[in-house]
Amino acid sequence: MTSFLDLPADSGFGLHNLPYGVFSTADDPAKRVGVRLGDTVVDLAYLETHGLIAVPGAGRAPVFHGTLNAFMALGRGAWDSVRGRLQDLLSADGPDDFRASETHRASGMHPLEEVTMHLPAEIGDYTDFYSSRQHATNVGTMFRGPENALMPNWLHLPVGYHGRASSVVLSGTEVVRPKGQQKPDDGAPVFGPSKLLDIELELGFFVGPGNELGSPIPIEDAREHIFGFVLVNDWSARDIQKWEYVPLGPFLGKSFATSISPWVVPTAALNPFRVAGEAQDASAGNPEPLPYLRQSGERSLDIELAVKLKTAQMDEAETVARSNARYLYWSPEQQLAHHTVNGCNARPGDLMASGTISGETEDSYGSFLELTWRGTRPIQLPSGETRTFLADGDSVVLAGEAVRDGVRISFGEVEGTIAPAR
Ligand code: CA
């Protein structure tokens, strides 16, 4: 598949990817849906208005004006149809309805640097899981010791908590250092700016059609409800978190900000990158999940992930960790089946994140908590500075891409810079 745009062969934003995002332009501030092709944004609202794409199952209301929620709600048939049509329309040798019209090309495409990106969906609910075994083991080891690092439930269900949708922000949004209660080991609680501000490297997915209240999504249907994936940085204030989390879990140590990347990579683009994942049975010494969580086939995704840090003194970001989504023990399908098994309804545009993705080696950990082992092993930076947790002015970039057989699928990046507490 070759696009009519002159893209480099190794572009992570070629026709195999076509991620969806929501954008506006200086001359038209209305939010609308686009796909990214190289460094160009193709305006799906324009294509829809001019009859260049039809959306099966859509009513009279336009699908691509506003956010992605309406398209997410339509499900796999509509997604596959639109994706196939776009791959045809934007290819070098497909139908020339769009390609051959200078008017369409001038009005229906925008240079990436001239658009303003927005959150891809109106996020009704945000749930964060805890699905990396190595991350859960590392955190458990630090706080409870190596003997009982994993809690007794961990290998039996995808642990999660309800996050805060209102503070999910787009890449590039500054992150104000949160203030809150902290409890020194040897004294009374104090109030002030967090001193242990951290990141969590995660992969998130957006829910498609979802389910009616009271009707769970079976594991074998779960993939049909996963619209696509973004990078997630679950900013975490470890000192606030440590004091508040008992007994109901994360609260203000997490809810001040969660950053996501702007381009939603479709599930269909990632299907060629599926891998088995760790066996969930006795062959690997693991308990077999209860039937509602048993998933056949390849359940993990081979997506390379990186954490980069740039302090105010540095000219370019330094990679401080490399991880991979394949390290997740619980899959997105298992997360969604578990989330809805009690009848809880998931809705189009809900965001679900994986939890911090850590590999087995010390340079593959997805948080500074782990990378610096609770602040005891500072990271040395090329600027001569060291870091345990984040300082004001620090910028963190998470990046992701899947590469196989000459095909590259890029997630782009999610960036956030720490602003002083207010
Ligand atoms: Ca998290």
Side-chain angles (χ1 to χ4, degrees):
M1 281 192 292
T2 307
S3 157
F4 68 74
L5 297 183
D6 193 19
L7 300 184
D10 63 347
S11 170
F13 294 100
L15 290 178
H16 293 278
N17 191 350
L18 293 183
Y20 296 96
V22 168
F23 74 100
S24 61
T25 47
D27 59 358
D28 183 358
K31 290 182 189 175
R32 53 216 195 261
V33 175
V35 291
R36 179 170 173 182
L37 182 63
D39 289 331
T40 297
V41 178
V42 180
D43 186 336
L44 299 197
Y46 179 89
L47 265 56
E48 183 179 27
T49 300
H50 291 81
L52 292 163
I53 45 172
V55 187
R60 284 165 174 265
V63 173
F64 295 117
H65 296 252
T67 63
L68 273 161
N69 295 67
F71 186 48
M72 289 169 168
L74 290 173
R76 174 77 56 211
W79 307 340
D80 287 348
S81 171
V82 167
R83 180 172 167 79
R85 172 67 174 162
L86 288 172
Q87 286 175 330
D88 282 347
L89 268 188
L90 301 174
S91 74
D93 50 6
D96 62 3
D97 315 30
F98 183 69
R99 172 165 47 97
S101 162
E102 280 190 29
T103 307
H104 286 333
R105 288 175 61 153
S107 304
M109 296 196 294
H110 311 277
L112 184 64
E113 70 262 22
E114 290 179 11
V115 308
T116 301
M117 298 303 297
H118 304 277
L119 281 176
E122 199 167 307
I123 301 169
D125 279 294
Y126 160 50
T127 300
D128 194 19
F129 288 90
Y130 191 55
S131 291
S132 155
R133 183 178 195 157
Q134 190 66 47
H135 172 69
T137 301
N138 287 343
V139 173
T141 301
M142 276 183 258
F143 291 97
R144 287 186 300 277
E147 300 77 32
N148 40 18
L150 278 189
M151 296 299 272
N153 58 3
W154 200 92
L155 288 167
H156 295 275
L157 55 84
V159 169
Y161 69 95
H162 291 295
R164 182 77 192 168
S166 68
S167 52
V168 176
V169 296
L170 199 69
S171 175
T173 307
E174 71 171 10
V175 174
V176 177
R177 181 178 296 275
K179 292 192 283 197
Q181 281 198 32
Q182 304 137 39
K183 168 80 171 62
D185 287 340
D186 54 357
V190 298
F191 176 82
S194 168
K195 298 182 188 68
L196 305 182
L197 186 53
D198 197 359
I199 60 140
E200 293 195 333
L201 167 65
E202 307 196 15
L203 186 67
F205 69 86
F206 280 100
V207 174
N211 57 314
E212 294 295 322
L213 185 65
S215 300
I217 296 175
I219 183 83
E220 57 271 20
D221 295 348
R223 194 167 293 168
E224 302 298 305
H225 291 269
I226 298 174
F227 175 77
F229 292 81
V230 290
L231 302 169
V232 178
N233 187 344
D234 176 27
W235 304 94
S236 301
R238 300 300 181 195
D239 37 11
I240 297 172
Q241 183 184 357
K242 185 183 175 194
W243 173 229
E244 73 175 359
Y245 86 100
V246 180
L248 289 186
F251 188 33
L252 304 183
K254 299 278 192 179
S255 61
F256 56 94
T258 306
S259 300
I260 66 171
S261 54
W263 294 103
V264 186
V265 176
T267 301
L270 294 170
N271 282 332
F273 301 92
R274 296 198 177 276
V275 289
E278 183 178 344
Q280 294 178 333
D281 57 34
S283 72
N286 295 321
E288 192 171 14
L290 289 167
Y292 81 93
L293 282 172
R294 265 177 226 160
Q295 185 176 7
S296 57
E298 296 174 316
R299 69 174 202 283
S300 290
L301 287 166
D302 183 7
I303 302 167
E304 299 164 18
L305 303 166
V307 180
K308 305 174 193 181
L309 173 65
K310 185 165 105 50
T311 70
Q313 292 185 29
M314 293 164 68
D315 293 327
E316 56 186 87
E318 171 82 356
T319 299
V320 296
R322 291 186 187 280
S323 188
N324 193 305
R326 69 193 302 160
Y327 300 143
L328 290 167
Y329 187 82
W330 296 106
S331 71
E333 293 82 9
Q334 289 174 315
Q335 292 164 356
L336 189 55
H338 183 66
H339 199 311
T340 62
V341 75
N342 65 345
C344 173
N345 50 330
R347 296 175 296 184
D350 283 358
L351 176 66
M352 307 207 172
S354 60
T356 311
I357 305 172
S358 294
E360 289 188 352
T361 58
E362 288 174 8
D363 57 358
S364 66
Y365 295 164
S367 68
F368 286 93
L369 176 70
E370 295 162 270
L371 287 167
T372 68
W373 208 253
R374 227 174 165 178
T376 60
R377 299 195 295 239
I379 293 172
Q380 304 288 331
L381 295 168
S383 57
E385 300 166 282
T386 61
R387 280 292 179 277
T388 50
F389 295 90
L390 296 171
D392 292 346
D394 285 359
S395 163
V396 175
V397 171
L398 308 182
E401 63 175 9
V403 184
R404 187 183 284 185
D405 300 332
V407 173
R408 182 183 299 270
I409 303 289
S410 179
F411 280 74
E413 297 179 340
V414 54
E415 188 272 345
T417 300
I418 308 302
R422 291 177 189 156

